[in-house]
Amino acid sequence: MKIAIAQLNPTIGDITGNAKLILEAAQKAENLDAKLMITSELSLIGYPPRDLLIYPSLVEAAVTELEYLAKNLPSEIAVLVGTVTFNSQANETGEKSLFNSAALLGNGEVKQIFHKRLLPTYDVFDEQRYFEPGKTSDFFTLEIPGKTSESLTKIGVTICEDLWNDAEFWGRRNYACDPMKELAENQVDFVVNMSASPYRVGKQKLREAMLEHSTNRYQIPIIYVNQVGGNDDLIFDGCSVVFNKIGNAIYRASAFETNLAVVEFNPAKKDLIVTNFESLYLAESEDEEIWSALVLGVKDYLRKCGFSKVVLGLSGGIDSALVAAIATAALGKENVFTILMPSPYSSDHSVKDALELAENLGVAKQVIPIGDLMKSYDNSLQDLFAGTNFGIAEENIQSRIRGNLLMAISNKFGYLLLSTGNKSEMAVGYCTLYGDMNGGLAVISDVPKTRVYSLCHWLNQQAVNNNQNFYGAENLLITEQQNIIPENILTKAPSAELKEGQKDEDSLPSYEVLDDILYRLVEKCESLAEIIAAGHDSEVVNKVIKLVMRAEFKRRQAPPGLKISDRAFGTGWRMPIAKKSSW
């Protein structure tokens, strides 16, 4: 029996559009002789829907669309669709009114419904806010083509977190029940997992280690189908994978791309097999993985929010250089507009470096000097500021002039403004509210400064080696033996250039020290004592922690940023991307 894996890119709230994606995939799967197609978690409404779920009209539209989809699917294929369903007992029991569900569609109808049992509430997840957990772990049966009616395949259904509670693997139990264990006791032939697992650096290795452990432990194969695409700050990498019953990965879908593939269940071996073996490719480095995630995140953010072009300021520094390269790879050079806004404190090489970068990328550029604007502000404020020393207020005026100009261009032409601040700066508040923090998307706000350098070196290495086999390469002007990021941008000391001779390290620890402290504080949740015990100076650690606490307000005023690490510095809750179609 052939089973299709549909790694799709749904849009949150676009129920009609998502149903169309599922229908088109099912038609292709039928042409491949598949008898079952599996989609990802909440594939009909997109993940995460968050507070869209409080609108009954959305859920009612999902129910209607599900029935319509069932009637229009090819007759020879069954399809598992992720959706939401009403909890009919909620009013009597005081339970949540919705379930996170999987619907089995076939023969023109909704044949069976399965509910997610384990509802995560950590990191980016808040599912207990919306959903009631399912009470049982269940399966369905399909007749094996060419066999007698008694020859049925038992297929266990799990949804995302349902597989993430193996006490033997994690060393502890996080939930009261273990759906995988219960399905094994029901002697299912294989298990499907419909997932919407957000990307995190190195997460695929963890997923696969967990799936390998489960298949080894229970001798039951697993088909793991993950969503792909960007939805606001979250990026989904796909990487759907199939493990046979002895724990070998026999298929892996492409990362960061939609995909449709077929595997086969062999009833004699009670195992999943792949006839045309596909290379099990994973990114060669973390830099390549992160680059791909950021390019996809920018591409999908614009597409799903209805933008086609971006504008950003080029300072001649490494942060704006990386953002410009990511935007070009995501959107194409014709859709990226860069603005250089030199002040009297901008060095000659910064302007030269920015112009060289724009040339290397092939993007449009405009130079708007801000010296005269600065003088106008000085004249307006001279009486009020008389008798005071030049300081942060005057420095920030420059950044706010630039932010105002960029927002004017964004408003005038309908371009999305990309902000260019990195995670290290955002964490400690080394940025200007209503200045360089202006924008609609903070592309690298979850990328530490040391990783910014690493990504730029990696990108240049691809260009020097004339390697065009990486995500978005087709949109970059790659010339053999030529860097994309100018060498001087990589080697000069980082500076905001808001006053004479300014360097970042005049105000901050070295970025190597700062990023390690932030990693321990934010992502590993280490205490002050633990960070100091790791070898950091206590005075420096205390300074960084105070800066982080003081910067919280700024971070909450920042645009949403693409999330690539376990714990990003949050920018506050935002309405998720949603396309209100029939609901």
Side-chain angles (χ1 to χ4, degrees):
M1 178 176 66
K2 292 184 177 179
I3 303 132
I5 298 165
Q7 183 170 287
L8 304 178
N9 185 347
T11 298
I12 295 171
D14 185 10
I15 296 170
T16 303
N18 296 336
K20 183 181 178 184
L21 292 178
I22 295 167
L23 179 58
E24 289 172 350
Q27 290 165 344
K28 292 176 183 176
E30 185 191 39
N31 291 335
L32 296 171
D33 296 325
K35 299 304 175 186
L36 172 66
M37 187 180 84
I38 308 159
T39 66
S40 55
E41 178 181 14
L42 295 182
S43 54
L44 189 59
I45 64 170
Y47 189 95
R50 294 180 176 146
D51 275 8
L52 293 180
L53 293 169
I54 68 176
Y55 292 90
S57 57
L58 177 133
V59 185
E60 289 163 1
V63 171
T64 301
E65 194 68 43
L66 190 70
E67 293 172 350
Y68 175 82
L69 184 59
K71 291 174 183 176
N72 286 274
L73 285 171
S75 59
E76 297 299 314
I77 190 169
V79 179
L80 276 170
V81 174
T83 187
V84 289
T85 56
F86 286 110
N87 178 4
S88 59
Q89 298 181 332
N91 291 339
E92 299 172 8
T93 61
E95 297 174 341
K96 295 291 193 300
S97 61
L98 298 175
F99 289 111
N100 181 339
S101 304
L104 177 65
L105 311 184
N107 297 323
E109 61 182 4
V110 180
K111 300 180 75 68
Q112 201 168 338
I113 297 288
F114 310 86
H115 302 313
K116 186 174 183 178
R117 301 201 63 194
L118 308 184
L119 303 177
T121 56
Y122 56 87
D123 197 27
V124 301
F125 306 107
D126 194 16
E127 292 195 26
Q128 286 187 9
R129 173 181 171 89
Y130 311 103
F131 298 119
E132 183 67 22
K135 305 296 191 295
T136 59
S137 299
D138 212 345
F139 60 89
F140 64 97
T141 58
L142 278 183
E143 185 177 340
I144 300 174
K147 301 289 181 179
T148 65
S149 59
E150 289 77 24
S151 184
L152 300 175
T153 305
K154 293 174 67 174
I155 302 165
V157 178
T158 59
I159 302 175
C160 205
E161 190 81 359
D162 289 348
L163 282 190
W164 293 68
N165 193 34
D166 189 324
E168 193 175 279
F169 177 79
W170 296 105
R172 55 162 293 175
R173 175 167 283 196
N174 297 307
Y175 303 88
C177 67
D178 183 350
M180 181 66 190
K181 182 174 182 292
E182 292 178 15
L183 289 172
E185 290 168 352
N186 278 313
Q187 298 182 328
V188 297
D189 292 308
F190 64 90
V191 169
V192 302
N193 183 256
M194 303 166 66
S195 188
S197 178
Y199 168 75
R200 187 176 76 234
V201 181
K203 189 174 184 180
Q204 183 64 9
K205 291 180 180 177
L206 175 63
R207 292 182 191 129
E208 294 196 8
M210 177 189 68
L211 294 170
E212 179 184 0
H213 177 87
S214 290
T215 50
N216 271 324
R217 180 178 180 184
Y218 297 111
Q219 299 290 289
I220 296 173
I222 295 175
I223 299 176
Y224 169 88
V225 182
N226 193 26
Q227 172 177 296
V228 72
N231 284 331
D232 269 5
D233 55 332
L234 295 184
I235 302 162
F236 297 85
D237 51 334
C239 289
S240 302
V241 65
V242 178
F243 278 82
N244 65 17
K245 67 181 181 183
I246 60 171
N248 293 331
I250 60 170
Y251 170 79
R252 182 185 295 114
S254 304
F256 306 107
E257 295 177 1
T258 56
N259 190 270
L260 181 73
V262 169
V263 297
E264 193 167 348
F265 178 71
N266 185 314
K269 296 181 178 179
K270 292 282 186 179
D271 207 355
L272 293 165
I273 58 173
V274 176
T275 340
N276 299 316
F277 186 81
E278 194 164 316
S279 172
L280 302 184
Y281 172 78
L282 282 176
E284 293 182 358
S285 66
E286 285 188 350
D287 287 328
E288 181 182 354
E289 190 182 289
I290 294 168
W291 167 269
S292 301
L294 294 172
V295 171
L296 175 62
V298 170
K299 181 192 295 185
D300 265 12
Y301 191 91
L302 265 79
R303 179 175 66 85
K304 294 180 179 181
C305 289
F307 290 92
S308 59
K309 296 178 183 289
V310 297
V311 60
L312 70 147
L314 279 190
S315 66
I318 196 164
D319 296 323
S320 62
L322 178 59
V323 172
I326 290 168
T328 305
L331 308 170
K333 62 181 181 179
E334 66 279 4
N335 294 314
V336 178
F337 187 33
T338 61
I339 310 294
L340 288 71
M341 296 166 285
S343 81
Y345 299 113
S346 299
S347 60
D348 291 338
H349 65 72
S350 289
V351 177
K352 177 179 176 294
D353 294 341
L355 290 170
E356 184 181 345
L357 173 74
E359 190 70 26
N360 291 351
L361 294 173
V363 299
K365 57 188 180 296
Q366 180 76 40
V367 180
I368 306 177
I370 64 169
D372 290 343
L373 290 170
M374 290 168 60
K375 289 178 184 177
S376 296
Y377 273 85
D378 290 342
N379 291 336
S380 296
L381 293 167
Q382 64 181 349
D383 292 341
L384 187 60
F385 283 11
T388 65
N389 295 324
F390 180 96
I392 291 176
E394 289 82 359
E395 292 178 33
N396 283 340
I397 285 173
Q398 298 168 64
S399 182
R400 290 180 176 128
I401 289 171
R402 291 177 174 131
N404 196 7
L405 291 172
L406 289 169
M407 282 305 305
I409 294 165
S410 172
N411 290 162
K412 189 69 173 178
F413 301 110
Y415 301 164
L416 180 72
L417 173 57
L418 302 181
S419 62
T420 61
N422 62 67
K423 184 173 187 173
S424 309
E425 296 170 348
M426 291 286 292
V428 296
Y430 194 66
C431 45
T432 304
L433 191 59
Y434 316 123
D436 58 344
M437 292 174 72
N438 280 2
L441 181 67
V443 177
I444 59 170
S445 63
D446 200 22
V447 182
K449 186 77 167 189
T450 49
R451 178 65 74 176
V452 170
Y453 278 99
S454 181
L455 284 167
C456 288
H457 282 293
W458 171 85
L459 182 60
N460 277 354
Q461 192 64 46
Q462 309 316 302
V464 168
N465 293 339
N466 199 28
N467 174 25
Q468 301 191 31
N469 187 30
F470 64 93
Y471 200 80
E474 67 278 4
N475 289 330
L476 298 173
L477 301 177
I478 294 179
T479 305
E480 192 173 3
Q481 303 301 316
Q482 179 180 315
N483 287 337
I484 292 176
I485 310 296
E487 185 65 25
N488 196 51
I489 289 179
L490 293 167
T491 56
K492 66 187 176 186
S495 169
E497 293 191 331
L498 297 178
K499 65 180 180 180
E500 195 69 42
Q502 186 180 44
K503 298 289 184 292
D504 289 4
E505 290 187 12
D506 295 339
S507 305
L508 301 173
S510 72
Y511 280 113
E512 287 78 9
V513 170
L514 176 61
D515 285 353
D516 188 61
I517 292 173
L518 291 173
Y519 170 72
R520 294 175 180 279
L521 176 66
V522 178
E523 296 185 35
K524 296 184 71 177
C525 299
E526 290 185 359
S527 67
L528 171 66
E530 287 172 320
I531 299 172
I532 294 170
H536 290 289
D537 180 81
S538 60
E539 188 176 336
V540 173
V541 176
N542 274 295
K543 177 183 177 180
V544 170
I545 291 176
K546 286 179 182 177
L547 288 171
V548 168
M549 296 303 108
R550 288 178 58 187
E552 177 61 23
F553 175 75
K554 278 189 180 180
R555 291 196 295 274
R556 291 190 176 277
Q557 307 306 306
L562 300 177
K563 189 175 189 303
I564 64 162
S565 69
D566 189 33
R567 291 181 176 84
F569 275 100
T571 54
W573 184 89
R574 280 177 172 77
M575 189 72 166
I577 295 170
K579 182 173 179 181
K580 187 168 183 177
S581 51
S582 55
W583 63 277

